[in-house]
Amino acid sequence: SSCQCGRVIIKASGGVEYGYRKFLFNASGNVIREGDYRTPLGRIPNSSSRAFGGSGSVGYYGEKVFLNGYFSFDRRRYGVPYAPLYEEGALLSDENGEPCELEEERNKISAGGEAVCQYDIFAIRNRFRNQLPETPEEAIDLRMKRNNFRLRGGFRNLRGAIKQGNFSIDFTDYRHEEVETEDNLDKVATNFFNDVLSYRSVFQQANYKTLSGRFGFEGYRRSYLTEGAEQLVDGRVRQNNLAVFALEELNFDRVSFQFGGRVESNRYRPTNAALYRDRDFTGFSGAAAARFRLWEGAAFIANFTSSYRAPALEELYNEGPHVGTVTFEIGNQNLTRERSNGVEFSFRQRLKRVRIDGSFFYYNIDNFVYLAPQDEDESGSVDVEDGLPVAAYMQNDARYVGADLTVDVDLHRYLGAFFVADTVKAELRGIDTPLPRITPPRARVGLDFRYQGLSLRPEGVFVGRKDDGDVFPLETPTDGYG
């Protein structure tokens, strides 16, 4: 729904860069604090956030060789508004839409009675249409820590079959904690660890007549672990990814062709073999495109893609409450690979005062993986587990059809106008059911005024409505707004 909301935001950032001969040094830092959202109904408790971070690098840039070392850190803490109400079951309702006590529900079930409490998003919407929920006594925050180390290097201006190449080695140490705060005392309830060591190398080949291109390999090793009250996977899961790829291009006077391919392998190795099984996926992705120069400043591009995607680690193994996403997630170890076949057509026009970019795409996706709300008892409401709505990773054939358009116009030396719009229709093939969590049509129009160091950009944003037939079952329709 439309909302005249606001919050106080304080930002500060700065950096310094110094070059000496063929060496370059860089350092930067930033801090941001955002207050609670304020709405016509009042302040949203625990919707504030704060963050700070920094980075530094040193590099050597020679005529044929370069090498750069980089480090960055990021620290954030942000609230999850009303999250304790889910854990307490304060948002559950009975069959009449009235508030339902979770503790009474549990006692009834343990005594052999039938469950009555349900997660009814329509009842929640009606209940809080004109008032905010009571502020919980407890607050739940997410506290994130990320450290990144990167080494990049390469060579260039060589003679022979390989013209230039570059490589990178990257290690990210990531952790976030779900922190419960009561009486100003913090308690870490759940830890999420996600460490990734990645590498990538790309080589550019020397041009041969009208043929140019590049090829390379990349991969990563990921270690994923959750511990605590909201443990999503019992034990550590390791993922190994490796891919080799190539992209070639043929250039002629008015037409150019691109074609490429990628072979990718993913291996998942859970340490808890009693609950989880190893999964291996290997697949090929390929694409071909043609670019036609129509007239001065205009081009038409046609692209065909057949791509492969392995299920993500979370889609395979997650099972448990996740307050960060306000969902009880259920993975599926039997998921298979996705295969997407589609076409995309684009038109680009560059004139002295006008720039136009438009595209249309159509994709058929076999075995598409999506997170679907569950209603196992067919009550018409989302199932509840640990006070959270239940959603499971499912797989069906899907179809995506969409378009986007961008227009920029220079009205004057200091004044420009712009228009941006996009729309997408995504549904399950065969049953024409909309997929969950798909954005409505959107448009943005405005002016861009620039004079020396001053920039002013007023704009209007318009979002279409989503009716009952436009949303996944158990999702609520939404009003359009501007």
Side-chain angles (χ1 to χ4, degrees):
S1 61
S2 59
C3 175
Q4 296 177 346
C5 304
R7 70 194 305 184
V8 176
I9 301 176
I10 301 174
K11 295 181 180 180
S13 63
V16 60
E17 188 174 84
Y18 176 72
Y20 177 73
R21 294 183 178 178
K22 295 182 180 181
F23 291 89
L24 182 66
F25 304 87
N26 180 287
S28 64
N30 64 83
V31 62
I32 180 170
R33 297 184 68 92
E34 300 178 314
D36 286 336
Y37 274 103
R38 297 184 179 276
T39 78
L41 297 181
R43 180 180 63 87
I44 305 297
N46 199 36
S47 58
S48 62
S49 66
R50 57 185 184 269
F52 68 94
S55 65
S57 68
V58 57
Y60 169 81
Y61 298 89
E63 293 183 3
K64 290 191 175 184
V65 177
F66 71 93
L67 188 66
N68 175 270
Y70 172 88
F71 167 75
S72 69
F73 69 94
D74 193 2
R75 304 289 185 267
R76 299 173 184 266
R77 179 163 178 164
Y78 49 95
V80 184
Y82 300 117
L85 300 185
Y86 288 91
E87 293 190 334
E88 300 165 5
L91 299 182
L92 300 179
S93 57
D94 59 21
E95 60 270 19
N96 298 317
E98 298 297 324
C100 188
E101 293 294 333
L102 183 61
E103 192 61 36
E104 295 180 5
E105 176 85 346
R106 288 169 175 164
N107 294 334
K108 183 183 298 183
I109 294 175
S110 62
E114 293 184 359
V116 174
C117 289
Q118 56 190 9
Y119 182 80
D120 188 338
I121 47 183
F122 295 94
I124 293 174
R125 183 185 61 180
N126 294 333
R127 183 174 161 193
F128 300 111
R129 184 182 298 274
N130 298 311
Q131 63 176 357
L132 294 175
E134 294 183 5
T135 301
E137 296 181 0
E138 181 186 59
I140 294 181
D141 290 1
L142 297 183
R143 185 165 60 194
M144 186 271 282
K145 304 175 183 178
R146 182 179 65 85
N147 299 315
N148 178 251
F149 307 85
R150 183 183 308 156
L151 179 65
R152 297 178 60 246
F155 53 87
R156 56 196 171 198
N157 302 325
L158 299 185
R159 297 179 179 178
I162 304 294
K163 185 177 180 180
Q164 66 182 42
N166 59 69
F167 73 89
S168 65
I169 302 174
D170 191 293
F171 176 72
T172 300
D173 173 22
Y174 175 90
R175 173 183 180 180
H176 87 249
E177 305 165 327
E178 292 188 356
V179 182
E180 298 177 355
T181 304
E182 191 169 11
D183 298 329
N184 293 322
L185 296 176
D186 287 351
K187 175 186 175 184
V188 178
T190 308
N191 278 301
F192 292 77
F193 301 91
N194 190 33
D195 298 336
V196 179
L197 174 65
S198 62
Y199 52 89
R200 176 182 173 88
S201 187
V202 181
F203 305 94
Q204 182 175 338
Q205 65 199 46
N207 294 350
Y208 177 73
K209 295 183 178 179
T210 59
L211 178 67
S212 62
R214 61 186 67 93
F215 60 93
F217 63 89
E218 64 182 354
Y220 60 85
R221 179 180 174 86
R222 179 186 180 193
S223 176
Y224 176 74
L225 175 66
T226 60
E227 294 178 332
E230 296 179 15
Q231 187 178 49
L232 294 174
V233 181
D234 188 354
R236 189 180 299 273
V237 180
R238 292 185 174 88
Q239 177 186 1
N240 286 290
N241 170 279
L242 175 63
V244 294
F245 55 87
L247 176 65
E248 301 295 320
E249 183 170 357
L250 285 168
N251 285 295
F252 299 99
D253 183 28
R254 300 185 66 88
V255 181
S256 62
F257 298 96
Q258 286 186 339
F259 47 94
R262 174 186 177 91
V263 178
E264 180 178 341
S265 172
N266 283 274
R267 296 185 299 162
Y268 298 98
R269 296 295 181 264
T271 56
N272 191 339
L275 294 178
Y276 313 109
R277 60 192 181 96
D278 297 347
R279 296 298 309 273
D280 295 314
F281 301 90
T282 301
F284 171 79
S285 298
R291 184 178 187 273
F292 304 90
R293 285 198 303 153
L294 303 178
W295 52 81
E296 184 66 27
F300 175 76
I301 301 98
N303 183 72
F304 169 77
T305 302
S306 179
S307 60
Y308 143 92
R309 188 185 80 90
L313 186 153
E314 293 84 354
E315 296 167 347
L316 290 169
Y317 300 112
N318 271 7
E319 182 160 359
H322 193 181
V323 169
T325 60
V326 198
T327 307
F328 189 97
E329 297 181 7
I330 300 177
N332 182 355
Q333 296 187 58
N334 296 316
L335 294 175
T336 60
R337 63 98 181 99
E338 290 182 357
R339 169 60 64 184
S340 172
N341 294 296
V343 293
E344 182 171 346
F345 302 102
S346 301
F347 174 78
R348 300 171 186 169
Q349 174 71 70
R350 297 291 184 271
L351 300 175
K352 185 176 181 180
R353 290 179 174 269
V354 180
R355 294 164 298 280
I356 302 173
D357 281 282
S359 65
F360 167 83
F361 60 86
Y362 179 95
Y363 285 93
N364 275 329
I365 308 176
D366 296 334
N367 303 319
F368 180 73
V369 178
Y370 58 99
L371 189 62
Q374 297 298 290
D375 180 20
E376 293 291 338
D377 57 6
E378 298 182 354
S379 64
S381 299
V382 182
D383 295 337
V384 176
E385 189 72 33
D386 284 356
L388 296 173
V390 178
Y393 287 102
M394 304 183 68
Q395 196 165 45
N396 293 98
D397 296 339
R399 178 190 302 109
Y400 274 72
V401 183
D404 59 77
L405 176 66
T406 301
V407 180
D408 284 295
V409 181
D410 297 328
L411 301 175
H412 186 268
R413 178 181 176 184
Y414 304 117
L415 182 65
F418 62 89
F419 173 80
V420 181
D422 64 82
T423 182
V424 61
K425 183 177 182 180
E427 58 187 10
L428 299 175
R429 298 204 317 261
I431 56 177
D432 297 330
T433 299
L435 283 165
R437 305 187 182 189
I438 301 300
T439 57
R442 301 171 296 183
R444 184 184 300 265
V445 61
L447 299 174
D448 190 3
F449 173 78
R450 295 180 181 274
Y451 179 74
Q452 296 183 358
L454 174 66
S455 174
L456 194 65
R457 191 179 171 95
E459 62 182 33
V461 178
F462 307 93
V463 179
R465 63 181 291 115
K466 283 273 193 175
D467 294 318
D468 286 322
D470 302 323
V471 296
F472 190 77
L474 303 176
E475 283 190 320
T476 51
T478 57
D479 292 335
Y481 64 90

